[in-house]
Amino acid sequence: MSMKLSTVFKMLAVAGVTSFAAASFAGEVEVLHWWTSGGEAKSVAELKKMLQAKGHTWKDFAVAGGGGDNAMTVLKSRVVSGNPPAAAQIKGPAIQEWAAEGGVADITAVAKANNWDKVLPPVVANQMKYKGKYVAAPVNVHRVNWVWINKAALDKVGGKAPANWDEFFKLADKFKAAGIVPVAHGGQDWQDFTTFEAVVLGVGGAKFYNQALVKLDQTALKSPTMLKSLETFKKIHSYTDKGAPGRDWNLATAMVIQGKAGMQIMGDWAKGEFQAAGKKAGADFVCAATPGSANAYTYNVDSFVMFQQKNPANAKAQADLAAAILSPEFQQVFNLNKGSIPVRTDAKMDAFDDCAKQSNKDFLATAKNGGLQPSIAHGMAVSPAAAGAIKDAVSNFWNTDSMTAQQAQQQIAQAALTK
């Protein structure tokens, strides 16, 4: 972060500035998030209902922008001005960065009362803690390496879900010949990055992905495998439409839902859009691991960091929010709407569709075989500074026709050195 938030908190304390929550109505919980699309909004509405049922007031603080970059900019402004929300959607290594600055709430008592250490996978539980204390509550597990395909369009061209990148491009050619946009894409850097990491995972495998995009190993980043990944990545660009620049991810998903596009590379939050449109897995759309990654799983865990509340009533509302997030009831209804799977290891999957059941099965399997990897595109793998620099380099390559894969490789390797 560009400025020490701990210093800001101290300055505000000296100035006698009270927290925003203290000046609010008793039992109010303000929640900053970026869940504004159809399936996402439906999901967050369930959490609102649970808090209202406990007598609390929910103050929605939604900031549009699927990747969350806009929300983080707003959050920094709010914290610097001395009025942080009760909870903010933050994930991955950024949790520890915010906690290190001070001002976050210790919710370990809530975690102990609800046995979080027993019901959460260790890899997830550890990301929710700072110096051994819980400061955030995880909501779900998203699989990022999915490709979504319109079933009617697939049947029309006589294709099948692609198992590798050669099959992917053959299917893309069939869609193109049929007058269907082969790949629905939105021209936002996080969408470019989502596609890029899927290609690296499929071309190089989970072990290479970890070396290159988690450990940021320079040898891996400068390797022939990375060069091949970049060439494959750029080839996908030629199968997108001219309307892609600036398009939101859910509008790209809508193209697949409507049959205007054949497929989209996107995390399983896209499934929430299919469901909101009344579409069913298997009948209306096909979900498959992105080419070459059937035995790997890039994950994205949404979570809420809690900020200190001086008003006791608001602190109680905040604790109830944290407890509600991990309740079995909310975990089921939220993830059924969102397209993700419950973060609880004891969750029952009976009510979920085949895509979610496959996701849950693969999540548990890859956790044992080394195929489970954090998504760099979605803030789970490296520091926000490094991820941001690499993201910029990736999108620069995606959008610059004159740039070679070799030039992009050099830029990405250099960006990975960002601290």
Side-chain angles (χ1 to χ4, degrees), residues 359-374:
S359 179
N360 188 63
K361 178 182 177 182
D362 291 348
F363 177 66
L364 297 175
T366 54
K368 297 177 181 178
N369 67 21
L372 184 63
Q373 298 293 329

Side-chain angles (χ1 to χ4, degrees), residues 88-110:
Q89 191 178 349
I90 301 173
K91 57 189 177 181
I95 293 174
Q96 283 68 44
E97 289 200 1
W98 280 96
E101 298 292 350
V104 299
D106 178 0
I107 55 171
T108 304
V110 176

Side-chain angles (χ1 to χ4, degrees), residues 322-336:
I325 286 172
L326 270 169
S327 67
E329 297 80 11
F330 176 69
Q331 283 283 305
Q332 173 154 316
V333 69
F334 177 90
N335 287 293
L336 282 171

Side-chain angles (χ1 to χ4, degrees), residues 87 91 113 123 143 157-158 211 217 237 309 323 327 391 394 403:
K91 57 189 177 181
V123 65
R143 185 179 195 170
V157 301
Q211 286 295 120
D217 178 75
H237 186 275
Q309 304 292 292
S327 67
K391 184 192 299 181
V394 167
M403 183 179 290

Side-chain angles (χ1 to χ4, degrees), residues 100 143 172 190 195 271 298 313:
R143 185 179 195 170
W190 71 270
T195 298
K271 190 179 68 174
T298 43

Side-chain angles (χ1 to χ4, degrees), residues 208-241:
F208 176 79
Y209 173 95
N210 185 272
Q211 286 295 120
L213 299 183
V214 180
K215 295 179 180 175
L216 302 182
D217 178 75
Q218 287 289 308
T219 300
L221 290 169
K222 296 176 180 178
S223 69
T225 302
M226 179 55 72
L227 184 62
K228 183 180 179 181
S229 297
L230 284 163
E231 291 169 345
T232 303
F233 170 67
K234 192 59 174 283
K235 187 175 180 180
I236 295 173
H237 186 275
S238 65
Y239 289 96
T240 62
D241 69 310

Side-chain angles (χ1 to χ4, degrees), residues 30-115:
E30 184 180 22
V31 182
L32 170 63
H33 63 89
W34 58 85
W35 289 330
T36 56
S37 71
E40 293 174 329
K42 190 175 180 180
S43 299
V44 80
E46 296 297 333
L47 189 57
K48 179 179 179 179
K49 288 179 185 177
M50 292 184 74
L51 266 292
Q52 290 176 330
K54 289 182 176 291
H56 301 306
T57 300
W58 173 286
K59 187 174 183 180
D60 202 55
F61 186 10
V63 180
D69 292 342
N70 295 340
M72 290 302 95
T73 299
V74 174
L75 177 61
K76 289 176 183 178
S77 175
R78 285 287 302 270
V79 172
V80 167
S81 64
N83 61 338
Q89 191 178 349
I90 301 173
K91 57 189 177 181
I95 293 174
Q96 283 68 44
E97 289 200 1
W98 280 96
E101 298 292 350
V104 299
D106 178 0
I107 55 171
T108 304
V110 176
K112 287 184 176 179
N114 293 279
N115 297 313

